Amino acid sequence: QVQLVQSGAEVRKPGASVKVSCKASGYTFTSYHIHWVRQAPGHGLEWMGIINPSGGTTSYAQKFHGRVTMTSDTSTSTVYMELSSLKSEDTAVYYCARKPNRGGLVATDYWGQGTLVTVSS
Amino acid sequence: QSVLTQPPSASGTPGQRVTISCSGSSSSIGSNTVYWYQQLPRTAPKLLIYMNNQRPSGVPDRFSGSKSGTSASLAISGLQSEDEADYYCASWDDSLNGVVFGGGTKLTVL
């Protein structure tokens, strides 16, 4: 069965970086793009970007340009999202989600369990 | 401030029909298809409607979507207690070159 398993909760100080992983299983890793979406406590969903694990092509939300880097490791079927220069406003649950091959660019079918990143001095 | 505008809350009684609106712009909903997500408490979002009015396998036909111009709506008929959740609309935005979400609508089943 398809699964996306994310790394555990992280605590960082302002100005630091965090790298969240999303390990895929149950399907051909390189055949599906992965979205990253975050949700601050009590707030709505915010799209961060998307990566094609086959080749590593990325597209980032303008808001995060220069601060976010998404990568993939085909040997371990894992995608990574690294966010730098962290601020308290980056405190959120970060989700990875698979984009199906049908349904359009904004569609998703499987989600990771979410990773809480807390930024606090 | 979200790019897509939704009412913060909606409510209905069991069996009722409720609609949730989503307003965008010419670069978002006006040029691209609309998606709806359901988020139950403390869970990851789930795709409810894609490409304006298509339901993924397993989503009950009580849920339906529509789009007109730069706005869209999600309708839920035969409201059930388990429909109590947050609902988000989403679309691609050509100006921002990215996915944009509405601020979310909290649906309460009275």
Side-chain angles (χ1 to χ4, degrees), chain A residues 18-89:
Chain A
V18 69
K19 193 170 186 177
V20 178
S21 68
C22 171
K23 183 173 177 57
S25 61
Y27 70 95
T28 302
F29 176 66
T30 52
S31 295
Y32 296 84
H33 293 56
I34 296 288
H35 287 281
W36 285 91
V37 175
R38 76 176 187 179
Q39 185 170 36
H43 287 75
L45 304 174
E46 185 172 33
W47 184 76
M48 300 183 70
I50 188 169
I51 181 168
N52 178 357
S54 175
T57 308
T58 56
S59 177
Y60 301 141
Q62 289 182 6
K63 174 178 178 176
F64 299 103
H65 265 284
R67 279 212 304 145
V68 70
T69 304
M70 296 176 188
T71 56
S72 66
D73 183 343
T74 56
S75 68
T76 59
S77 298
T78 303
V79 294
Y80 299 90
M81 187 286 299
E82 184 171 21
L83 190 62
S84 62
S85 303
L86 290 168
K87 313 165 220 177
S88 58
E89 309 90 89

Side-chain angles (χ1 to χ4, degrees), chain A residues 35 37 39 43-47 50 59-62 95 100 102-109 111-114, chain B residues 33 35 37 39 42-47 50-51 86 88 90-92 95-104:
Chain A
H35 287 281
V37 175
Q39 185 170 36
H43 287 75
L45 304 174
E46 185 172 33
W47 184 76
I50 188 169
S59 177
Y60 301 141
Q62 289 182 6
Y95 292 102
R102 296 182 65 183
L105 185 57
V106 186
T108 58
D109 54 5
W111 289 65
Q113 82 276 21
Chain B
T33 58
Y35 297 72
Y37 282 86
Q39 187 176 32
R42 294 173 298 283
T43 68
K46 168 190 169 185
L47 182 66
Y50 68 96
M51 298 180 83
D86 293 325
Y88 296 89
S91 180
W92 184 264
S95 295
L96 297 174
N97 199 32
V99 177
V100 291
F101 283 97

